[in-house]
Amino acid sequence: MERTPFADLDGQPREMTAMLLAALDEMGRHPEIRRVRRTALESFRPRPGWQVLDAGSGTGEVARSLAAAVGPSGGVIALDYSAATVAAALERHDGSNVRYTAGDVSAIDLPAGSVDGVWCERVLQHVDDADLAIAEMVRVTRPGGRLCLIDTDWSSLAFDGVPPGLARTVVADMHGRLTPRQVDMGRTLRRRLVGKGLKDVYATPVTCVFGTPASAAVVLPMVNPMVPEHVWTTAPGVREKWLSHVDEAGARSDFLAVLTIWAVTGNVV
Ligand SMILES: C[S@@+](CC[C@H](N)C(=O)[O-])C[C@H]1O[C@@H](n2cnc3c(N)ncnc32)[C@H](O)[C@@H]1O
């Protein structure tokens, strides 16, 4: 299986890691990602006093907002596999009640039942065994606590305003570099939580709409001209042709991309 750069941020060339971390910051500012997070938060409902684990916390923006939600009597553990990412999160720390730590979501270094809730956003598509990671999240959550899983359904990705055949080639290129599990992760989350015996599993698909190439490029690598050419596996010339059609659609104001991201919550029994 090909591993995504987010599966091993520390193993990337330094400039690539810096670019991906900057991309995480930018995604956190994107109105559609913020809408996904608001939707997930309404379902997660962290309470004052809760101890929350942010599993795969990236640069820590969500961990800091969860710390505000649980208040001074609660706290957040922001766990990420990548030392460079934990360092970047520490640089962004604002004094809120967050403890940043390096670790693997598939082997969480916390006692059973030690947290009230786990938030895990756009991480499971990057791990080798999502069910093992979910089992770990269930283990560390007390009975009655909640899980909130957020992930992308790359198979939902669609474009308009660009030649349909070319769009199909570009989407197929991306799907070809992912495993079926990575392509479909978002829609599988509900089944995975039901399978782990969680109750009141609630799944919300949030379809993100990108009306300009610049807006899409924040979330969709194939629209981002900064993504290096060597990442593409299409025939020579396809990337350039595609990006020029994307630009033209942007200039005509009829570019459109849609992508569904799922937010799924459930109660641990
Ligand atoms: C796409 S980023 C999402 C980060 C953050 N949750 C957000 O929404 O901004 C995926 C993150 O998962 C982390 N990650 C990947 N595999 C991991 C693992 N096995 N254990 C912990 N973190 C992991 C990466 O280092 C990266 O920071």
Side-chain angles (χ1 to χ4, degrees), residues 120-245:
C120 181
E121 177 177 346
R122 290 176 298 136
V123 175
L124 291 171
Q125 62 182 290
H126 303 293
V127 305
D128 291 341
D129 185 342
D131 288 317
L132 174 64
I134 294 170
E136 273 295 87
M137 295 177 213
V138 172
R139 182 187 66 78
V140 300
T141 306
R142 65 160 169 84
R146 292 173 74 68
L147 256 56
C148 178
L149 308 181
I150 298 171
D151 232 306
T152 315
D153 197 337
W154 287 109
S155 53
S156 70
L157 176 61
F159 292 94
D160 192 40
V162 286
L166 190 55
R168 274 196 294 277
T169 301
V170 168
V171 170
D173 174 59
M174 186 210 200
H175 290 175
R177 283 181 278 117
L178 302 174
T179 62
R181 174 181 57 69
Q182 290 170 323
V183 172
D184 293 345
M185 183 55 69
R187 76 177 62 172
T188 70
L189 295 177
R190 178 179 180 281
R191 169 172 53 79
R192 290 173 195 271
L193 285 192
V194 168
K196 289 279 183 290
L198 271 73
K199 295 294 175 219
D200 303 318
V201 176
Y202 190 71
T204 312
V206 183
T207 297
C208 300
V209 179
F210 307 100
T212 66
S215 163
V218 176
V219 179
L220 307 177
M222 73 287 291
V223 183
N224 185 347
M226 302 294 286
V227 170
E229 199 170 348
H230 69 80
V231 174
W232 289 65
T233 52
T234 46
V238 168
R239 174 180 180 271
E240 290 63 34
K241 194 169 161 195
W242 163 254
L243 289 175
S244 100
H245 277 290

Side-chain angles (χ1 to χ4, degrees), residues 6 9 24 37 56 58 80-82 103-105 121-123 127:
F6 279 117
L9 278 170
L24 284 185
R37 288 179 176 169
D80 201 281
Y81 200 53
S82 148
D104 186 348
V105 294
E121 177 177 346
R122 290 176 298 136
V123 175
V127 305

